């Protein structure tokens, strides 16, 4: 749709979901609790802009480098130069470089804020145990 806009821009909202998970009522160690879900969400509102096609290679290269450098394993950083040129060219035909100019940020989080500190800590500890058991 963005490519069809005469201005190359559209208004948009991007929803970013953060950590989330089920909370057992038992974890609060309080009476009369019910199951719930803790979560963090951010809504980014603004103008999505189509960048010039010639920017695509540098956008892909900088994004992959940024995320590759955050990996904790000892492998060499992957580079876009490792892609066979024909394969890269065919993939780039279906991609477009874009940029979001953020005008407003709304965030929502539900993390048992209304519970006592001891209950919040217990829930956090139990969620870490659960997360670690799934890895």
């Amino acid at each position: 749709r963005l490519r069809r806009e005469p201005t190359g821009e559209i208004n948009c909202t991007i929803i970013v979901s953060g950590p989330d998970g089920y909370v057992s009522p038992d974890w609060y160690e309080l009476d009369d609790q019910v199951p719930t879900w803790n979560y963090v969400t951010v809504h980014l509102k603004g103008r999505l802009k189509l960048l010039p096609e010639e920017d695509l290679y540098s956008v892909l290269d900088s994004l992959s480098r940024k995320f590759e450098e955050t990996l904790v394993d000892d492998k060499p950083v992957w580079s876009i130069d490792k892609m066979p040129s024909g394969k890269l060219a065919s993939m780039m035909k279906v991609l477009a470089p874009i940029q979001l100019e953020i005008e407003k940020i709304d965030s929502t989080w539900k993390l048992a804020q209304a519970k006592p500190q001891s209950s919040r800590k217990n829930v956090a500890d139990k969620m870490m145990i659960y997360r670690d058991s799934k890895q």
Side-chain angles (χ1 to χ4, degrees):
R1 176 173 169 225
L2 187 56
R3 288 186 178 178
R4 293 190 304 261
E5 291 295 322
T7 62
E9 297 182 14
I10 57 172
N11 289 323
C12 74
T13 300
I14 295 177
I15 300 170
V16 181
S17 296
D20 70 294
Y22 172 79
V23 178
S24 170
D26 296 333
W27 294 353
Y28 291 119
E29 297 181 341
L30 299 170
D31 293 334
D32 300 327
Q33 300 299 302
V34 296
T36 190
W37 201 270
N38 280 358
Y39 60 89
V40 176
T41 302
V42 176
H43 293 193
L44 305 171
K45 297 178 182 187
R47 303 279 305 158
L48 194 60
K49 291 183 163 192
L50 186 60
L51 300 176
E53 288 293 326
E54 57 269 14
D55 290 358
L56 181 57
Y57 185 92
S58 65
V59 168
L60 291 173
D61 186 49
S62 64
L63 281 173
S64 63
R65 187 175 319 279
K66 173 185 168 49
F67 290 106
E68 279 286 318
E69 290 172 352
T70 65
L71 298 176
V72 294
D73 57 8
D74 292 329
K75 74 175 196 65
V77 172
W78 182 88
S79 159
I80 197 169
D81 298 328
K82 292 182 179 180
M83 288 284 295
S85 60
K87 179 72 171 174
L88 179 60
S90 69
M91 291 177 77
M92 288 177 65
K93 287 179 185 176
V94 297
L95 300 174
I98 58 172
Q99 177 180 8
L100 176 64
E101 290 187 0
I102 299 171
E103 297 167 356
K104 185 177 181 188
I105 300 173
D106 292 320
S107 61
T108 301
W109 59 92
K110 180 185 168 296
L111 301 171
Q113 302 96 306
K115 306 293 184 199
Q117 172 64 26
S118 60
S119 293
R120 292 193 314 264
K121 181 173 182 340
N122 198 49
V123 167
D125 291 345
K126 297 289 187 183
M127 290 185 112
M128 294 295 282
I129 292 167
Y130 178 76
R131 182 202 68 189
D132 292 346
S133 73
K134 296 296 179 190
Q135 293 180 354

